[in-house]
Amino acid sequence: MTADADRVAALVERVEAGELRLHELTDHTDSDTAAVVRRQVVEAESDANCEAIGDYGFPAEVAEPNIENMIGTVQVPLGVVGPVDINGAALDDERYLPLATTEGALLASVNRGCSVINTAGGATARVTKAGMTRAPVFSVTDVAEALALVEWVRDNEAALRDAAEETTNHGELQDVTPYVVGNNVYLRFQYDTKDAMGMNMVTIATKAACEVVESETAASLVALSGNLCTDKKPAAINAVEGRGRSVTADVVVPSEVVAETLETTPEAIAEINTRKNLLGSAKAGALGFNAHVANPVAAMFLATGQDEAQVVEGANAITTAEETDAGDLYMSVSLASLEVGTVGGGTKLPTQSEALDILSVGGGGDPAGSNADALAEAIAVGALAGELSLLAALGSQHLSSAHESLGR
């Protein structure tokens, strides 16, 4: 983006003189000029060349809701795999899957899995549960007062729902579950956030509900998030109860396809999955029992404007593999806490919006929530393709050779 050189120079001089701070620049000029000024200040102080960082293809103003102190963009290579046949409840069609990554061999591997899935007649995918959570923590005097709060919440959930839903046109409070730890009470609020990922929505709504709790009980709000939500951290509660969308994809691959295309057997893949993904993960104390679900999840998160930190929960998945009675391969991937949306956040940025359009899931769906469900189904099938390909590579002893030729 271009900016007036004299204007930039004058602002750089003021920043260097201490008259302006970088975050104050947008009060004095347009967003693109502010980005240029920040970039020049950073270049001068770090002796770095940020020319590529400053070469971006949309007005900086577009990104203002998504970032502060912008100096440019980081461009991550974007590719596609597929098309892959997805037999979902929200997405029942062939789709190309957009993945953004710097890891060589990843798209080739997932693409191979997609090809096998297509040969097998497609993958089935379903969202089995949906609900975004926020869990504030309250302090009480003792356990008796804690129980009194728990009982009050159970008797007054309608009042909490009214207060929470007053703050949003779309979110719906589904449930409030209390947890007591000594003189601490955690209330895990769960919402239907439709096509939005919904963290901002549920935070604002929960704050309004907390005000009702404080006004009607003896409890005091300590923190709006008490970490029982649980957001952007590995947590067993998300693996068990789910968060965002719980989604499963599965496929039955004929034994001849496993032999001819993957150069291994259903029995070998099932054994590797048990010994590696299940037993190995258990011994390691892992929460995710899978090979590399984080890879396609992260790549599709980056491509479609999801909150990349929530890959922590998105990779909270279990892969299963077994040989069927007919000698074929059954495989599934169940992602317990996939937090995705097709409206809000980074989904509005130009390139991310275009990636969602590749999937035909951009914006709000009809009915509400259907586009985010479709995105979740697509990510689950991408994860299934990645698991299938990697386990087969291990079974055929091709993993290292693939990385040697493609990983570079």
Side-chain angles (χ1 to χ4, degrees), residues 152-167:
W152 182 91
V153 168
R154 289 171 177 161
D155 292 339
N156 292 273
E157 192 168 315
L160 297 177
R161 180 176 293 107
D162 289 344
E165 293 181 3
E166 184 70 23
T167 68

Side-chain angles (χ1 to χ4, degrees), residues 7-17 25 36-38 40-41:
R7 176 68 172 153
V8 169
L11 288 169
V12 168
E13 185 175 339
R14 290 185 63 189
V15 171
E16 291 177 340
L25 282 166
V36 173
V37 173
R38 293 189 197 100
Q40 288 193 9
V41 170

